[in-house]
Amino acid sequence: MLALWRDESGQLCAWRVGRRRLAWRPRFPQPSLEGADGGPFEIIVVAILAVLGLVYLLNWLAALLATSVVWPYRAISGRWRVVAYPLDPSLVATDDRGGDLPHRRRVVGRTAAVALTRQWVRDIERQGYPDRSADRPGSAVASERSS
């Protein structure tokens, strides 16, 4: 589900909100390409990028294969992960590993996941980000353990 919000400058910001269906979301590695000025090392850089591209595709294949096991497990156990992250990468806060920090929470039951998704969409449309005030250890919705 998409949630749209206009910031103070009038720019439209889009967030993706919903149950996480993939086992994980592969990310393409971002190597530093300093020194790639067209010299003899350019072939090495192209080869490294080709290997990174192959690894990225294999990571996607592994994620899709793992999803064929994880999704039925989540449906049977009723434990769903709900995520919300901005689609504009400039709005994403990054952690020390360089990955994005989406809002995510584990909930028990599909109806709780749908309700949390709708609540986060309302929060984003009202204030521009999901409300984390309900992320208390004693709340009805259990927070996801940081990994």
Side-chain angles (χ1 to χ4, degrees):
M1 180 179 285
L2 286 178
L4 302 174
W5 173 71
R6 288 203 183 272
D7 61 5
E8 300 83 31
S9 65
Q11 181 181 5
L12 190 64
C13 303
W15 285 67
R16 171 122 13 227
V17 182
R19 289 179 291 149
R20 166 102 5 122
R21 289 178 171 85
L22 287 174
W24 68 85
R25 198 172 107 205
R27 307 215 190 282
F28 191 79
Q30 298 176 353
S32 172
L33 296 178
E34 294 181 25
D37 55 358
F41 295 108
E42 186 171 334
I43 295 174
I44 295 172
V45 170
V46 170
I48 290 172
L49 286 177
V51 169
L52 288 175
L54 180 64
V55 169
Y56 179 69
L57 290 176
L58 290 174
N59 194 3
W60 262 107
L61 180 63
L64 292 174
L65 289 174
T67 300
S68 67
V69 174
V70 170
W71 194 351
Y73 169 76
R74 288 178 181 165
I76 291 170
S77 69
R79 293 173 39 196
W80 290 95
R81 180 176 296 165
V82 180
V83 295
Y85 54 91
L87 295 177
D88 182 10
S90 66
L91 298 175
V92 178
T94 57
D95 61 7
D96 56 348
R97 293 173 293 171
D100 65 353
L101 287 175
H103 297 265
R104 50 186 177 203
R105 192 181 309 164
R106 282 193 183 164
V107 295
V108 177
R110 184 172 185 262
T111 55
V114 170
L116 180 61
T117 299
R118 290 184 179 148
Q119 176 62 43
W120 278 359
V121 167
R122 285 191 299 269
D123 290 344
I124 291 169
E125 289 172 348
R126 187 178 64 241
Q127 63 193 17
Y129 56 90
D131 188 20
R132 287 193 180 217
S133 65
D135 288 346
R136 290 186 293 274
S139 67
V141 178
S143 296
E144 178 184 350
R145 288 178 240 129
S146 46
S147 40

